[in-house]
Amino acid sequence: MDSRTSTVDPKLLELLVCPLTQSRLTYDRQKNELVSEKAKLAYPIRDGVAIMLVSEARSLED
């Protein structure tokens, strides 16, 4: 499966929270990221695995 076309299980998305703010995440299918609006960070999904490390997240303030 191509990581660019992967989807996130809705039940998993309900369980995952931002490690920085503990807020809910939304899935950006186009960029294949989990987005925390509160923290203004986007966590990448690589090979179907969400990388939930603040150090790996992309800032949304770019």
Side-chain angles (χ1 to χ4, degrees), residues 4-60:
R4 287 304 212 180
T5 60
S6 66
T7 60
V8 175
D9 183 332
K11 291 187 185 240
L12 180 60
L13 193 54
E14 288 178 21
L15 297 174
L16 289 175
V17 295
C18 174
L20 186 64
T21 64
Q22 306 303 307
S23 61
R24 296 192 79 163
L25 300 167
T26 56
Y27 176 55
D28 182 337
R29 172 177 247 154
Q30 193 171 40
K31 293 183 179 173
N32 202 34
E33 297 174 324
L34 294 176
V35 177
S36 170
E37 294 294 334
K38 191 170 184 180
K40 297 196 183 326
L41 293 173
Y43 298 93
I45 299 174
R46 296 186 191 128
D47 299 321
V49 177
I51 310 300
M52 302 301 295
L53 299 170
V54 174
S55 62
E56 293 289 318
R58 178 179 66 83
S59 173
L60 296 177

